[in-house]
Amino acid sequence: MLFIRMLRRVGLSPACGCWTPILPVRFLGISPRQIPADANFHSASFSDTDHPRVLITGGLGQLGVGLANLLRKRFGKDSVILSDIRKPPDHVFHSGPFIYSDILDYKNLREIVVNNRITWLFHYSALLSAIGEANVSLARAVNITGLHNILDVAVEHNLRLFVPSTIGAFGPTSPRNPTPDLCIQRPRTIYGVSKVHAELMGEYYHYRYGLDFRCLRYPGIISADSQPGGGTTDYAVQIFHDATKHGKFECNLEARTRLPMMYIDDCLRATLEVMEAPAESLSMRTYNVSAMSFTPEELAQEVLKHVPEFQITYNVDAVRQAIADGWPMNFDDSNARKDWGWKHDFDLPELVTAMLNFHGSETRVAQAN
Ligand SMILES: NC(=O)c1ccc[n+]([C@@H]2O[C@H](COP(=O)([O-])OP(=O)(O)OC[C@H]3O[C@@H](n4cnc5c(N)ncnc54)[C@H](O)[C@@H]3O)[C@@H](O)[C@H]2O)c1
Ligand SMILES: C[C@@H](O)[C@H](N)C(=O)O
Protein backbone atom coordinates (compact mmCIF):
# COMPACT_ATOMS: atom_id res chain seq x y z
CA MET A 1 0.00 0.00 0.00
CA LEU A 2 2.78 2.36 0.99
CA PHE A 3 4.63 1.41 -2.21
CA ILE A 4 1.57 2.22 -4.36
CA ARG A 5 1.21 5.60 -2.63
CA MET A 6 4.87 6.35 -3.36
CA LEU A 7 4.41 5.40 -7.02
CA ARG A 8 1.37 7.66 -7.31
CA ARG A 9 3.25 10.56 -5.73
CA VAL A 10 5.96 10.40 -8.40
CA GLY A 11 3.42 9.90 -11.17
CA LEU A 12 3.87 6.18 -11.81
CA SER A 13 0.87 3.99 -12.41
CA PRO A 14 1.36 0.59 -10.73
CA ALA A 15 -0.69 -1.07 -13.47
CA CYS A 16 1.42 -0.11 -16.47
CA GLY A 17 4.60 1.12 -14.76
CA CYS A 18 4.56 4.13 -17.09
CA TRP A 19 4.96 7.84 -16.38
CA THR A 20 2.03 10.18 -16.33
CA PRO A 21 2.87 13.82 -16.91
CA ILE A 22 2.41 15.42 -13.48
CA LEU A 23 3.69 18.95 -14.05
CA PRO A 24 6.21 20.67 -11.82
CA VAL A 25 3.80 23.57 -11.43
CA ARG A 26 4.97 26.29 -9.08
CA PHE A 27 2.83 28.09 -6.55
CA LEU A 28 0.36 30.09 -8.62
CA GLY A 29 0.63 33.68 -7.43
CA ILE A 30 -0.37 36.86 -9.20
CA SER A 31 2.51 39.05 -10.19
CA PRO A 32 2.14 42.66 -9.05
CA ARG A 33 3.98 43.62 -12.20
CA GLN A 34 1.89 44.54 -15.17
CA ILE A 35 3.09 45.29 -18.65
CA PRO A 36 2.71 49.08 -18.91
CA ALA A 37 0.01 50.28 -21.24
CA ASP A 38 2.55 52.28 -23.23
CA ALA A 39 4.96 49.37 -23.77
CA ASN A 40 6.19 49.14 -27.33
CA PHE A 41 3.57 46.70 -28.55
CA HIS A 42 2.48 47.18 -32.08
CA SER A 43 -1.14 46.37 -31.34
CA ALA A 44 -0.57 42.66 -31.84
CA SER A 45 -3.81 41.08 -32.85
CA PHE A 46 -3.71 37.63 -31.33
CA SER A 47 -6.45 36.23 -33.46
CA ASP A 48 -5.88 32.54 -33.94
CA THR A 49 -3.67 31.85 -36.93
CA ASP A 50 -1.32 29.08 -37.80
CA HIS A 51 1.58 31.26 -36.75
CA PRO A 52 3.33 30.69 -33.46
CA ARG A 53 3.49 33.61 -31.04
CA VAL A 54 7.14 33.92 -30.15
CA LEU A 55 9.17 35.22 -27.20
CA ILE A 56 12.95 35.59 -27.47
CA THR A 57 14.85 36.02 -24.18
CA GLY A 58 18.27 37.68 -24.09
CA GLY A 59 17.40 39.10 -27.47
CA LEU A 60 19.78 42.06 -27.54
CA GLY A 61 22.95 39.97 -27.75
CA GLN A 62 24.86 38.88 -30.83
CA LEU A 63 22.14 36.58 -32.15
CA GLY A 64 18.73 37.73 -30.92
CA VAL A 65 17.98 40.68 -33.20
CA GLY A 66 18.87 38.66 -36.30
CA LEU A 67 16.64 35.84 -35.10
CA ALA A 68 13.76 38.26 -34.52
CA ASN A 69 14.20 39.65 -38.04
CA LEU A 70 14.10 36.16 -39.55
CA LEU A 71 11.08 35.06 -37.51
CA ARG A 72 9.20 38.31 -38.19
CA LYS A 73 9.66 37.83 -41.92
CA ARG A 74 8.12 34.41 -41.58
CA PHE A 75 5.42 34.89 -38.96
CA GLY A 76 4.69 38.62 -39.06
CA LYS A 77 6.19 41.50 -37.12
CA ASP A 78 3.75 41.46 -34.23
CA SER A 79 4.05 37.72 -33.64
CA VAL A 80 7.62 37.96 -32.33
CA ILE A 81 8.50 39.70 -29.04
CA LEU A 82 12.13 40.46 -28.35
CA SER A 83 13.09 40.79 -24.68
CA ASP A 84 16.16 41.56 -22.60
CA ILE A 85 17.24 43.37 -19.44
CA ARG A 86 19.10 46.01 -21.45
CA LYS A 87 17.74 49.11 -23.17
CA PRO A 88 17.25 48.50 -26.89
CA PRO A 89 18.81 50.82 -29.46
CA ASP A 90 16.29 52.94 -31.38
CA HIS A 91 16.31 50.88 -34.57
CA VAL A 92 15.57 47.69 -32.60
CA PHE A 93 12.87 49.34 -30.48
CA HIS A 94 11.08 50.58 -33.59
CA SER A 95 11.44 47.37 -35.58
CA GLY A 96 8.85 45.34 -33.63
CA PRO A 97 7.59 44.44 -30.14
CA PHE A 98 10.19 44.74 -27.38
CA ILE A 99 9.69 44.13 -23.68
CA TYR A 100 11.82 44.07 -20.53
CA SER A 101 12.22 40.57 -19.19
CA ASP A 102 14.63 39.30 -16.54
CA ILE A 103 14.69 35.50 -16.70
CA LEU A 104 15.46 35.38 -13.00
CA ASP A 105 11.98 36.82 -12.33
CA TYR A 106 9.64 33.87 -12.76
CA LYS A 107 6.37 35.71 -12.19
CA ASN A 108 7.29 38.35 -14.76
CA LEU A 109 8.15 35.62 -17.27
CA ARG A 110 4.84 33.89 -16.67
CA GLU A 111 2.95 37.14 -17.02
CA ILE A 112 4.55 37.82 -20.39
CA VAL A 113 3.81 34.31 -21.63
CA VAL A 114 0.18 34.47 -20.47
CA ASN A 115 -0.63 38.03 -21.54
CA ASN A 116 0.82 37.52 -25.00
CA ARG A 117 -0.35 33.94 -25.46
CA ILE A 118 3.18 32.85 -26.29
CA THR A 119 3.50 29.43 -27.96
CA TRP A 120 7.20 29.30 -28.91
CA LEU A 121 10.08 30.42 -26.71
CA PHE A 122 13.67 30.92 -27.90
CA HIS A 123 15.85 31.16 -24.81
CA TYR A 124 18.97 33.16 -25.71
CA SER A 125 19.90 34.73 -22.34
CA ALA A 126 23.28 33.54 -21.13
CA LEU A 127 26.74 34.54 -20.01
CA LEU A 128 29.21 33.15 -22.55
CA SER A 129 32.44 31.24 -21.95
CA ALA A 130 35.06 33.93 -21.26
CA ILE A 131 32.80 36.36 -19.41
CA GLY A 132 31.35 33.47 -17.42
CA GLU A 133 34.81 32.59 -16.07
CA ALA A 134 35.16 36.22 -14.95
CA ASN A 135 31.85 36.07 -13.06
CA VAL A 136 31.03 32.51 -12.07
CA SER A 137 28.22 33.25 -9.61
CA LEU A 138 26.32 35.46 -12.07
CA ALA A 139 26.85 32.89 -14.84
CA ARG A 140 25.53 30.18 -12.52
CA ALA A 141 22.45 32.26 -11.70
CA VAL A 142 21.62 33.30 -15.27
CA ASN A 143 22.60 30.07 -17.04
CA ILE A 144 21.26 27.58 -14.49
CA THR A 145 18.63 29.23 -12.25
CA GLY A 146 17.35 31.21 -15.23
CA LEU A 147 17.07 28.04 -17.28
CA HIS A 148 14.99 26.40 -14.53
CA ASN A 149 12.52 29.29 -14.75
CA ILE A 150 12.37 28.91 -18.52
CA LEU A 151 11.78 25.15 -18.34
CA ASP A 152 9.03 25.54 -15.77
CA VAL A 153 7.20 28.28 -17.63
CA ALA A 154 7.53 26.29 -20.86
CA VAL A 155 6.11 23.10 -19.40
CA GLU A 156 3.38 24.94 -17.49
CA HIS A 157 2.16 26.70 -20.65
CA ASN A 158 2.86 23.95 -23.15
CA LEU A 159 5.41 25.95 -25.14
CA ARG A 160 7.73 24.70 -27.84
CA LEU A 161 11.13 25.60 -26.37
CA PHE A 162 14.44 26.21 -28.13
CA VAL A 163 17.59 26.43 -26.01
CA PRO A 164 20.94 26.77 -27.79
CA SER A 165 23.87 24.75 -26.55
CA THR A 166 27.44 25.08 -27.81
CA ILE A 167 30.72 23.43 -28.76
CA GLY A 168 31.60 24.59 -25.23
CA ALA A 169 29.46 21.77 -23.81
CA PHE A 170 32.42 19.47 -24.55
CA GLY A 171 35.80 19.38 -22.81
CA PRO A 172 39.34 18.06 -23.05
CA THR A 173 38.28 14.44 -22.48
CA SER A 174 35.72 14.54 -25.33
CA PRO A 175 36.80 13.24 -28.75
CA ARG A 176 37.78 16.50 -30.46
CA ASN A 177 38.27 15.68 -34.11
CA PRO A 178 35.49 15.05 -34.89
CA THR A 179 33.13 15.42 -31.91
CA PRO A 180 29.94 13.34 -32.27
CA ASP A 181 26.56 14.12 -30.70
CA LEU A 182 26.89 11.49 -28.01
CA CYS A 183 30.24 11.24 -26.23
CA ILE A 184 31.98 12.21 -23.00
CA GLN A 185 31.02 15.74 -21.90
CA ARG A 186 33.20 17.07 -19.10
CA PRO A 187 33.54 20.80 -19.85
CA ARG A 188 35.80 22.91 -17.63
CA THR A 189 33.95 26.23 -17.79
CA ILE A 190 30.84 27.30 -15.89
CA TYR A 191 29.36 28.09 -19.31
CA GLY A 192 29.95 24.54 -20.55
CA VAL A 193 28.71 22.97 -17.32
CA SER A 194 25.53 25.07 -17.49
CA LYS A 195 24.95 24.08 -21.12
CA VAL A 196 25.32 20.35 -20.42
CA HIS A 197 22.87 20.90 -17.58
CA ALA A 198 20.48 22.64 -20.00
CA GLU A 199 20.72 19.78 -22.52
CA LEU A 200 20.05 17.17 -19.86
CA MET A 201 17.26 19.07 -18.11
CA GLY A 202 15.51 19.84 -21.40
CA GLU A 203 15.67 16.22 -22.47
CA TYR A 204 14.51 15.09 -19.04
CA TYR A 205 11.51 17.45 -19.17
CA HIS A 206 10.78 16.15 -22.66
CA TYR A 207 10.67 12.51 -21.58
CA ARG A 208 9.16 13.17 -18.15
CA TYR A 209 6.56 15.86 -18.91
CA GLY A 210 6.27 15.86 -22.69
CA LEU A 211 7.95 19.27 -23.11
CA ASP A 212 8.65 19.99 -26.79
CA PHE A 213 12.32 20.82 -26.15
CA ARG A 214 14.67 21.41 -29.09
CA CYS A 215 18.35 22.21 -28.81
CA LEU A 216 21.21 22.83 -31.23
CA ARG A 217 24.85 22.95 -30.24
CA TYR A 218 26.09 25.99 -32.13
CA PRO A 219 29.72 26.45 -33.20
CA GLY A 220 31.30 29.93 -32.80
CA ILE A 221 28.92 32.27 -34.64
CA ILE A 222 30.24 35.00 -36.92
CA SER A 223 28.09 38.06 -37.57
CA ALA A 224 28.70 41.39 -39.27
CA ASP A 225 26.16 43.76 -37.73
CA SER A 226 26.14 42.55 -34.12
CA GLN A 227 28.92 42.21 -31.57
CA PRO A 228 29.78 39.03 -29.64
CA GLY A 229 29.09 39.00 -25.91
CA GLY A 230 32.35 37.72 -24.35
CA GLY A 231 33.17 34.34 -25.81
CA THR A 232 36.27 32.42 -26.83
CA THR A 233 35.45 32.60 -30.54
CA ASP A 234 35.03 36.41 -30.56
CA TYR A 235 38.32 36.90 -32.43
CA ALA A 236 36.73 35.54 -35.60
CA VAL A 237 34.26 38.46 -35.58
CA GLN A 238 36.70 41.21 -34.54
CA ILE A 239 39.24 40.31 -37.23
CA PHE A 240 36.95 41.61 -40.01
CA HIS A 241 36.32 44.90 -38.29
CA ASP A 242 40.05 45.49 -37.68
CA ALA A 243 41.10 44.28 -41.15
CA THR A 244 38.87 46.81 -42.92
CA LYS A 245 39.46 49.64 -40.46
CA HIS A 246 43.16 49.26 -39.60
CA GLY A 247 44.57 46.64 -42.01
CA LYS A 248 45.86 44.62 -39.06
CA PHE A 249 44.59 42.49 -36.19
CA GLU A 250 45.98 41.24 -32.87
CA CYS A 251 44.60 37.77 -32.17
CA ASN A 252 44.06 36.48 -28.62
CA LEU A 253 44.24 32.79 -29.62
CA GLU A 254 47.26 30.89 -30.95
CA ALA A 255 47.66 30.71 -34.73
CA ARG A 256 46.87 26.97 -34.91
CA THR A 257 43.79 26.86 -32.67
CA ARG A 258 41.17 25.04 -34.74
CA LEU A 259 37.51 25.58 -33.82
CA PRO A 260 34.16 24.94 -35.54
CA MET A 261 32.52 28.16 -36.79
CA MET A 262 29.34 29.21 -38.61
CA TYR A 263 28.00 32.31 -40.35
CA ILE A 264 25.01 33.81 -38.54
CA ASP A 265 22.60 33.32 -41.47
CA ASP A 266 23.23 29.57 -41.38
CA CYS A 267 22.87 29.51 -37.58
CA LEU A 268 19.52 31.29 -37.54
CA ARG A 269 18.17 29.25 -40.45
CA ALA A 270 19.19 26.02 -38.65
CA THR A 271 17.34 27.27 -35.57
CA LEU A 272 14.13 27.93 -37.47
CA GLU A 273 14.42 24.64 -39.38
CA VAL A 274 14.78 22.51 -36.27
CA MET A 275 11.84 24.34 -34.66
CA GLU A 276 9.68 23.65 -37.70
CA ALA A 277 10.81 20.04 -38.12
CA PRO A 278 8.04 17.47 -37.54
CA ALA A 279 8.50 15.93 -34.09
CA GLU A 280 8.66 12.44 -35.60
CA SER A 281 11.75 13.39 -37.65
CA LEU A 282 13.73 14.19 -34.50
CA SER A 283 15.49 11.05 -33.28
CA MET A 284 17.20 13.22 -30.63
CA ARG A 285 16.42 16.49 -28.91
CA THR A 286 19.97 17.91 -28.91
CA TYR A 287 21.93 18.09 -32.18
CA ASN A 288 25.38 19.29 -33.21
CA VAL A 289 25.23 21.66 -36.20
CA SER A 290 28.30 22.55 -38.19
CA ALA A 291 29.46 24.48 -41.24
CA MET A 292 33.25 24.95 -41.27
CA SER A 293 36.29 24.73 -39.07
CA PHE A 294 39.41 26.90 -39.23
CA THR A 295 42.39 28.32 -37.35
CA PRO A 296 43.27 32.03 -36.96
CA GLU A 297 46.10 31.63 -39.48
CA GLU A 298 43.79 30.02 -42.06
CA LEU A 299 41.24 32.79 -41.55
CA ALA A 300 43.99 35.40 -41.93
CA GLN A 301 45.13 33.78 -45.22
CA GLU A 302 41.61 34.07 -46.58
CA VAL A 303 41.30 37.71 -45.46
CA LEU A 304 44.66 38.42 -47.15
CA LYS A 305 43.16 37.47 -50.52
CA HIS A 306 40.86 40.50 -50.21
CA VAL A 307 43.00 42.89 -48.13
CA PRO A 308 46.57 42.47 -49.46
CA GLU A 309 48.17 44.70 -46.80
CA PHE A 310 46.52 42.76 -43.94
CA GLN A 311 48.76 41.68 -41.05
CA ILE A 312 47.93 39.44 -38.10
CA THR A 313 49.91 39.31 -34.84
CA TYR A 314 49.33 37.17 -31.75
CA ASN A 315 48.96 38.16 -28.09
CA VAL A 316 47.47 35.07 -26.49
CA ASP A 317 44.91 35.36 -23.69
CA ALA A 318 45.62 32.46 -21.32
CA VAL A 319 42.01 32.00 -20.18
CA ARG A 320 40.56 31.90 -23.70
CA GLN A 321 43.39 29.69 -24.98
CA ALA A 322 42.86 27.13 -22.20
CA ILE A 323 39.14 27.06 -23.01
CA ALA A 324 39.70 26.67 -26.77
CA ASP A 325 42.25 23.88 -26.22
CA GLY A 326 39.51 21.75 -24.65
CA TRP A 327 36.84 22.38 -27.29
CA PRO A 328 36.03 20.39 -30.44
CA MET A 329 38.18 21.02 -33.51
CA ASN A 330 35.60 19.59 -35.92
CA PHE A 331 31.96 18.96 -35.22
CA ASP A 332 30.14 15.86 -36.50
CA ASP A 333 26.62 16.99 -37.40
CA SER A 334 25.62 13.97 -39.49
CA ASN A 335 22.52 13.31 -37.35
CA ALA A 336 21.13 16.80 -38.03
CA ARG A 337 21.77 16.33 -41.75
CA LYS A 338 20.10 12.92 -41.75
CA ASP A 339 17.10 13.63 -39.48
CA TRP A 340 15.87 17.07 -40.52
CA GLY A 341 17.93 17.86 -43.61
CA TRP A 342 20.43 20.35 -42.18
CA LYS A 343 22.74 21.81 -44.84
CA HIS A 344 24.98 24.85 -44.44
CA ASP A 345 25.36 27.49 -47.17
CA PHE A 346 28.52 29.30 -46.06
CA ASP A 347 32.03 27.83 -46.15
CA LEU A 348 35.14 29.86 -45.30
CA PRO A 349 35.48 31.74 -48.65
CA GLU A 350 31.80 32.76 -48.71
CA LEU A 351 31.95 33.78 -45.05
CA VAL A 352 34.99 36.02 -45.60
CA THR A 353 33.45 37.63 -48.69
CA ALA A 354 30.17 38.34 -46.89
CA MET A 355 31.90 39.79 -43.81
CA LEU A 356 34.31 41.97 -45.78
CA ASN A 357 31.54 43.20 -48.06
CA PHE A 358 29.57 44.34 -45.02
CA HIS A 359 32.50 45.99 -43.23
CA GLY A 360 33.95 47.38 -46.46
CA SER A 361 30.69 49.10 -47.31
CA GLU A 362 30.41 50.43 -43.73
CA THR A 363 33.93 51.85 -43.96
CA ARG A 364 33.22 53.44 -47.35
CA VAL A 365 30.04 55.05 -45.96
CA ALA A 366 31.97 56.38 -42.95
CA GLN A 367 34.74 57.77 -45.18
CA ALA A 368 32.21 59.45 -47.48
CA ASN A 369 30.55 61.25 -44.53
N1 LIG B 1 27.31 33.68 -30.24
C1 LIG B 1 27.85 32.48 -30.31
O1 LIG B 1 28.90 32.28 -30.92
C2 LIG B 1 27.15 31.32 -29.67
C3 LIG B 1 27.65 30.04 -29.86
C4 LIG B 1 27.05 28.97 -29.22
C5 LIG B 1 25.91 29.17 -28.45
N2 LIG B 1 25.44 30.43 -28.28
C6 LIG B 1 24.27 30.60 -27.44
O2 LIG B 1 23.29 31.39 -28.10
C7 LIG B 1 22.62 32.22 -27.15
C8 LIG B 1 22.71 33.66 -27.63
O3 LIG B 1 24.07 34.00 -27.74
P1 LIG B 1 24.56 35.49 -27.95
O4 LIG B 1 25.88 35.38 -28.60
O5 LIG B 1 23.51 36.31 -28.55
O6 LIG B 1 24.81 35.93 -26.44
P2 LIG B 1 25.15 37.41 -25.89
O7 LIG B 1 26.07 37.26 -24.75
O8 LIG B 1 25.56 38.29 -27.01
O9 LIG B 1 23.71 37.90 -25.38
C9 LIG B 1 23.11 37.35 -24.24
C10 LIG B 1 22.01 38.29 -23.77
O10 LIG B 1 21.49 37.78 -22.54
C11 LIG B 1 21.08 38.90 -21.79
N3 LIG B 1 20.92 38.57 -20.36
C12 LIG B 1 21.86 38.46 -19.40
N4 LIG B 1 21.28 38.23 -18.21
C13 LIG B 1 19.94 38.20 -18.41
C14 LIG B 1 18.82 38.04 -17.56
N5 LIG B 1 18.95 37.86 -16.24
N6 LIG B 1 17.58 38.05 -18.11
C15 LIG B 1 17.42 38.24 -19.45
N7 LIG B 1 18.45 38.41 -20.30
C16 LIG B 1 19.71 38.41 -19.78
C17 LIG B 1 22.16 39.93 -22.01
O11 LIG B 1 21.71 41.24 -21.70
C18 LIG B 1 22.51 39.72 -23.48
O12 LIG B 1 21.83 40.65 -24.30
C19 LIG B 1 23.30 31.97 -25.80
O13 LIG B 1 22.54 31.06 -25.06
C20 LIG B 1 24.63 31.35 -26.17
O14 LIG B 1 25.09 30.47 -25.19
C21 LIG B 1 26.02 31.51 -28.87
C1 LIG C 1 31.18 29.03 -28.85
C2 LIG C 1 30.19 29.90 -28.15
O1 LIG C 1 29.46 29.23 -27.21
C3 LIG C 1 30.60 31.28 -27.76
N1 LIG C 1 30.86 32.06 -28.94
C4 LIG C 1 31.81 31.33 -26.87
O2 LIG C 1 32.89 31.42 -27.40
O3 LIG C 1 31.67 31.28 -25.68
Side-chain angles (χ1 to χ4, degrees), residues 66-86:
L67 180 68
N69 290 340
L70 179 72
L71 298 178
R72 283 173 180 157
K73 271 188 206 131
R74 185 155 186 88
F75 302 127
K77 186 168 85 170
D78 293 333
S79 301
V80 179
I81 299 175
L82 203 54
S83 73
D84 207 299
I85 51 171
R86 294 193 276 151

Side-chain angles (χ1 to χ4, degrees), residues 61-63 84 86 101-103 124-125 165 191 195 219 221:
Q62 186 191 359
L63 306 185
D84 207 299
R86 294 193 276 151
S101 172
D102 181 347
I103 58 157
Y124 269 6
S125 310
S165 186
Y191 177 61
K195 290 294 186 179
I221 305 302

Side-chain angles (χ1 to χ4, degrees), residues 79-141:
S79 301
V80 179
I81 299 175
L82 203 54
S83 73
D84 207 299
I85 51 171
R86 294 193 276 151
K87 193 157 89 173
D90 282 354
H91 73 277
V92 173
F93 188 71
H94 294 297
S95 64
F98 177 85
I99 194 165
Y100 171 87
S101 172
D102 181 347
I103 58 157
L104 295 174
D105 182 347
Y106 182 74
K107 284 185 179 174
N108 175 237
L109 260 182
R110 188 165 63 195
E111 191 173 280
I112 293 168
V113 166
V114 168
N115 286 354
N116 298 287
R117 301 200 298 135
I118 296 300
T119 55
W120 285 15
L121 201 166
F122 293 80
H123 176 47
Y124 269 6
S125 310
L127 264 68
L128 302 195
S129 58
I131 203 163
E133 289 312 290
N135 198 338
V136 173
S137 61
L138 183 62
R140 198 180 67 176

Side-chain angles (χ1 to χ4, degrees), residues 4-275:
I4 291 177
R5 249 185 276 129
M6 280 169 62
L7 289 180
R8 286 207 177 110
R9 202 175 306 146
V10 297
L12 267 176
S13 151
C16 66
C18 58
W19 294 105
T20 54
I22 296 172
L23 303 184
V25 178
R26 299 189 188 210
F27 172 70
L28 285 170
I30 295 173
S31 167
R33 303 184 55 144
Q34 295 294 325
I35 298 171
D38 60 353
N40 183 35
F41 284 120
H42 295 245
S43 61
S45 84
F46 292 118
S47 60
D48 285 331
T49 66
D50 291 331
H51 288 171
R53 288 175 293 278
V54 176
L55 176 67
I56 303 171
T57 67
L60 294 184
Q62 186 191 359
L63 306 185
V65 173
L67 180 68
N69 290 340
L70 179 72
L71 298 178
R72 283 173 180 157
K73 271 188 206 131
R74 185 155 186 88
F75 302 127
K77 186 168 85 170
D78 293 333
S79 301
V80 179
I81 299 175
L82 203 54
S83 73
D84 207 299
I85 51 171
R86 294 193 276 151
K87 193 157 89 173
D90 282 354
H91 73 277
V92 173
F93 188 71
H94 294 297
S95 64
F98 177 85
I99 194 165
Y100 171 87
S101 172
D102 181 347
I103 58 157
L104 295 174
D105 182 347
Y106 182 74
K107 284 185 179 174
N108 175 237
L109 260 182
R110 188 165 63 195
E111 191 173 280
I112 293 168
V113 166
V114 168
N115 286 354
N116 298 287
R117 301 200 298 135
I118 296 300
T119 55
W120 285 15
L121 201 166
F122 293 80
H123 176 47
Y124 269 6
S125 310
L127 264 68
L128 302 195
S129 58
I131 203 163
E133 289 312 290
N135 198 338
V136 173
S137 61
L138 183 62
R140 198 180 67 176
V142 173
N143 296 8
I144 298 178
T145 309
L147 172 89
H148 293 167
N149 287 341
I150 295 290
L151 287 169
D152 284 356
V153 87
V155 84
E156 190 180 335
H157 298 283
N158 197 24
L159 309 182
R160 184 171 297 183
L161 174 64
F162 179 83
V163 179
S165 186
T166 163
I167 49 174
F170 297 94
T173 51
S174 307
R176 296 179 59 219
N177 193 9
T179 305
D181 282 304
L182 296 176
C183 63
I184 292 171
Q185 287 179 270
R186 286 289 180 277
R188 300 216 178 135
T189 59
I190 185 65
Y191 177 61
V193 169
S194 70
K195 290 294 186 179
V196 177
H197 179 72
E199 295 175 6
L200 293 174
M201 285 295 287
E203 290 180 10
Y204 173 71
Y205 269 49
H206 171 67
Y207 294 114
R208 179 73 173 82
Y209 303 118
L211 175 67
D212 193 350
F213 171 81
R214 301 174 186 217
C215 174
L216 297 181
R217 296 192 189 105
Y218 295 160
I221 305 302
I222 299 168
S223 59
D225 59 356
S226 57
Q227 293 304 309
T232 303
T233 58
D234 291 8
Y235 90 86
V237 177
Q238 191 63 32
I239 189 172
F240 294 101
H241 182 264
D242 288 11
T244 46
K245 209 158 177 218
H246 310 297
K248 60 182 182 179
F249 173 65
E250 187 179 87
C251 184
N252 56 20
L253 291 183
E254 284 167 9
R256 299 206 173 154
T257 309
R258 179 172 300 284
L259 291 169
M261 301 278 185
M262 183 181 278
Y263 187 53
I264 188 167
D265 289 14
D266 275 340
C267 164
L268 301 179
R269 183 170 53 79
T271 304
L272 179 56
E273 284 178 9
V274 78
M275 282 296 268

Side-chain angles (χ1 to χ4, degrees), residues 237-249 297-312 349 351-361 363-364 367:
V237 177
Q238 191 63 32
I239 189 172
F240 294 101
H241 182 264
D242 288 11
T244 46
K245 209 158 177 218
H246 310 297
K248 60 182 182 179
F249 173 65
E297 68 183 4
E298 289 167 358
L299 179 57
Q301 280 304 317
E302 198 62 37
V303 172
L304 208 53
K305 292 180 187 167
H306 301 256
V307 187
E309 73 279 11
F310 179 65
Q311 288 181 336
I312 186 166
L351 166 85
V352 171
T353 305
M355 291 294 290
L356 289 175
N357 280 346
F358 179 89
H359 284 291
S361 60
T363 308
R364 281 189 294 280
Q367 280 165 354

